[in-house]
Amino acid sequence: MELLLKQYDYIRRTREILFSYCEQIKNVEYITEVKQFGQGAIRGTHFHVAECYAFWLGEFGMGRPCGWREEMIADVAAMRRLFTEVDVLVHEFLERYALNIDIPVEGQFKGYKYAATPLWLFTHTVTHEFHHKGQIATMGRMIGYPPPDLDLIMTNGVVEDNL
């Protein structure tokens, strides 16, 4: 389990780069649909990531429904606060399943009975986040905010001049 916590720490570091980037975007642009993209606003995409964690880890994995609504998030600062709740949820989920990472959990998904292991649930949510991080960067670029390098490699703090 310690390995997954360490992995999640890397994910949180890349998320911090994304938050810093989003803080440069005017709030009205953060919450307004990016018409050229066709997938809604940056805020909506960012919220969707948090909502995925809430559903798969919280509701499906631990039977804990979530009452978050996108309208509750007015700006990047509020989104940061929401992701502190995501961090708590991830830690609770990983603690709960520390000894049962490969034993299927049963629940409902789109009205059907579904089973997935905690490892799959965790993997799905973090890869989902990276997928949408790319979409957020693309939307930002489309409205005139070139994104920084958001790759995971940028978060390890190691710099090698002679690679």
Side-chain angles (χ1 to χ4, degrees):
M1 195 53 51
E2 191 164 324
L3 178 63
L4 295 180
L5 288 169
K6 186 172 188 118
Q7 180 182 24
Y8 187 69
D9 185 52
Y10 289 147
I11 292 160
R12 287 181 47 237
R13 291 187 213 177
T14 63
R15 186 185 300 149
E16 179 54 37
I17 296 168
L18 183 64
F19 276 131
S20 295
Y21 168 65
C22 287
E23 287 169 337
Q24 298 170 24
I25 298 171
K26 292 178 187 170
N27 194 56
V28 69
E29 293 173 307
Y30 181 72
I31 65 173
T32 302
E33 180 182 349
V34 179
K35 296 201 185 300
Q36 310 94 303
F37 193 73
Q39 296 292 322
I42 294 171
R43 173 188 67 180
T45 302
H46 222 165
F47 180 79
H48 174 67
V49 171
E51 194 174 43
C52 180
Y53 279 103
F55 175 75
W56 286 110
L57 304 187
E59 188 170 335
F60 187 94
M62 297 190 294
R64 209 182 289 168
C66 174
W68 300 339
R69 291 185 325 278
E70 183 181 339
E71 303 80 41
M72 299 166 60
I73 308 301
D75 53 26
V76 178
M79 190 65 72
R80 273 183 184 277
R81 288 190 297 275
L82 181 63
F83 271 89
T84 62
E85 293 181 44
V86 168
D87 293 342
V88 170
L89 179 66
V90 169
H91 281 89
E92 289 175 1
F93 177 83
L94 291 176
E95 283 178 24
R96 179 175 183 165
Y97 291 106
L99 301 176
N100 298 311
I101 201 76
D102 287 318
I103 296 174
V105 176
E106 291 185 0
Q108 292 284 318
F109 177 61
K110 295 186 177 184
Y112 295 95
K113 190 174 179 180
Y114 190 77
T117 67
L119 181 59
W120 183 93
L121 295 169
F122 177 76
T123 302
H124 171 67
T125 55
V126 298
T127 58
H128 178 263
E129 178 171 359
F130 274 73
H131 162 70
H132 286 297
K133 177 178 68 168
Q135 290 184 331
I136 290 168
T138 298
M139 286 190 272
R141 183 181 303 281
M142 291 174 130
I143 60 173
Y145 297 89
D149 189 338
L150 293 165
D151 288 338
L152 188 58
I153 196 167
M154 299 307 295
T155 65
N156 72 359
V158 176
V159 178
E160 294 283 337
D161 289 333
N162 56 354
L163 288 179

